[in-house]
Amino acid sequence: MSMGSDMYRQQILDHYKNPRNYGDLDDPTFSHVGENPMCGDEIKVDVLLEDDGETIEYAAFSGEGCAISQASASMLTDELQGMTLDELDDLDRDDVIDLLGVDISPMRVKCAVLVEMVAQDGAAIHQGEKTSIEKTTTE
Ligand code: FES
């Protein structure tokens, strides 16, 4: 294992043990829930928008999951602060995997991208671009 990936592993463990932005927002602009059907783990993302209606003031998450899903949720909610909904929409799975900084096995990619898919679907529903998703799944 290289020094670099060791550092990232430590960072993942730190985010898992001390998740940033964990909890529920009192008055979110929108909330959305998603599930990784491989394991049944669920994550909820709450987003508060600024008055312009498009810039993310704060994002929080709650739910249970493995170290990868929780670290990914902790890191992504950090990244979302100050981002616009368009920028959120432009994120792809590689962006999240880059944030984690380690090679993710195909099985665990769903763990890594769950939070991103939940946040993107929540934003799309809020903007009226998607209407019928009760719960996002990573299938
Ligand atoms: Fe459930 Fe990773 S094992 S989210």
Side-chain angles (χ1 to χ4, degrees):
M1 188 191 297
S2 73
M3 291 275 289
S5 76
D6 194 42
M7 188 189 78
Y8 280 117
R9 272 165 218 278
Q10 301 234 3
Q11 204 184 359
I12 287 171
L13 269 182
D14 178 48
H15 276 267
Y16 177 51
K17 290 186 185 152
N18 309 293
R20 315 328 184 237
N21 318 308
Y22 191 91
D24 303 306
L25 297 187
D26 284 342
D27 197 11
T29 313
F30 61 86
S31 295
H32 191 57
V33 176
E35 177 188 65
N36 179 352
M38 304 282 291
C39 59
D41 291 333
E42 280 195 358
I43 282 183
K44 175 168 76 85
V45 175
D46 288 348
V47 171
L48 178 67
L49 294 181
E50 291 182 9
D51 290 342
D52 65 7
E54 56 188 66
T55 307
I56 296 170
E57 184 171 336
Y58 192 60
F61 79 100
S62 56
E64 299 295 320
C66 62
I68 294 288
S69 72
Q70 298 289 294
S72 163
S74 173
M75 290 179 188
L76 188 79
T77 47
D78 258 357
E79 288 292 309
L80 290 180
Q81 328 288 338
M83 207 179 255
T84 65
L85 294 182
D86 282 349
E87 288 167 339
L88 165 60
D89 191 45
D90 283 344
L91 293 178
D92 62 27
R93 58 174 49 196
D94 289 339
D95 294 319
V96 181
I97 292 167
D98 283 352
L99 268 184
L100 290 166
V102 291
D103 288 335
I104 307 279
S105 68
M107 284 281 292
R108 307 308 292 279
V109 168
K110 288 174 193 256
C111 307
V113 301
L114 176 61
V115 65
E116 177 203 32
M117 293 179 67
V118 173
Q120 287 177 328
D121 276 352
I125 294 164
H126 170 69
Q127 293 176 300
E129 290 162 7
K130 284 184 178 173
T131 50
S132 60
I133 315 166
E134 198 176 312
K135 193 200 275 185
T136 293
T137 69
T138 52
E139 275 177 316

